[in-house]
Amino acid sequence: MLQFAFKLVGALALVVLAMAFPLVPEAAAESVASDYTKVRLEACRQIAAADTEEGTFGGAWQCPGYKGQPVYVAEGDLRMFVSFGPAAADEPAAGQTLPNFNTVNETLEWRLRDGVPFATILRWFPSVDDSGKTGSVLIVTQLLPGGGTCQIARIDAQANKNANVLARQAADSMAGSFDCSNPPAIIGAPGILY
């Protein structure tokens, strides 16, 4: 009986210690969060003028992003191009766009791991038909300067009610390991992304 009492006291002591000093795996895990900046071309520095001869290149701008991270925005043939980083114009993302004529939203979501940006999520508005109707597509871009900054996922926001959740999941699970020689993954119901 005395041996049982010692075991019980020992077990209770372990429970009390565990409650006082819990082993929290989350404390060692990375903290993932979002922050937001605006892409307003009127507040950006123009780095390339529009092509007046052919009229297909609308210009290029460098905008301030999260904690000064450069955001490259260009327009060509009524399509937008967005890239990131110190050599953003040379990254694969600078040559990626949607096939339809399009514009981009001004709110840019930055996915952060322990305060360091690793991906962005931006809403694009591609034309659907000649009536002026537009779709809504979330594009996830991984941030890997030196040739690895590229679009990694596209989500039709009208075909997927949980598009923002899907975009964040894609960013958190795919960014950092995506091979930019592959086309961006279509996540969820394809909608207009067929």
Side-chain angles (χ1 to χ4, degrees):
M1 184 70 171
L2 188 59
Q3 198 173 29
F4 174 74
F6 281 122
K7 285 183 182 179
L8 182 60
V9 169
L12 286 174
L14 286 175
V15 169
V16 169
L17 280 174
M19 288 174 31
F21 302 102
L23 296 175
V24 183
E26 294 86 23
E30 297 174 323
S31 170
V32 178
S34 289
D35 203 336
Y36 301 87
T37 60
K38 297 289 184 183
V39 177
R40 295 187 181 116
L41 296 185
E42 64 275 6
C44 301
R45 182 173 58 89
Q46 189 167 20
I47 56 176
D51 179 2
T52 55
E53 275 186 39
E54 292 184 33
T56 58
F57 181 68
W61 296 263
Q62 182 171 317
C63 305
Y66 177 76
K67 293 190 176 181
Q69 171 106 356
V71 178
Y72 170 86
V73 180
E75 187 275 326
D77 195 24
L78 300 177
R79 292 167 178 87
M80 302 302 290
F81 301 84
V82 182
S83 186
F84 307 91
D90 299 323
E91 294 288 348
Q96 294 177 302
T97 190
L98 294 169
N100 303 16
F101 298 141
N102 61 70
T103 60
V104 296
N105 193 26
E106 69 177 27
T107 300
L108 177 61
E109 180 176 356
W110 297 80
R111 292 298 286 165
L112 313 168
R113 267 197 194 99
D114 296 326
V116 177
F118 65 90
T120 62
I121 301 170
L122 182 62
R123 187 176 302 270
W124 295 51
F125 303 108
S127 63
V128 175
D129 54 35
D130 294 336
S131 72
K133 184 179 175 186
T134 61
S136 179
V137 175
L138 296 177
I139 295 185
V140 181
T141 302
Q142 80 177 353
L143 306 178
L144 283 176
T149 298
C150 63
Q151 294 180 9
I152 62 173
R154 295 175 177 175
I155 300 98
D156 184 318
Q158 293 172 332
N160 296 280
K161 290 183 180 181
N162 60 343
N164 289 321
V165 171
L166 293 173
R168 289 182 188 119
Q169 288 172 345
D172 298 353
S173 65
M174 297 169 59
S177 61
F178 189 82
D179 180 350
C180 291
S181 66
N182 294 319
I186 296 174
I187 306 294
I192 64 171
L193 297 171
Y194 49 86

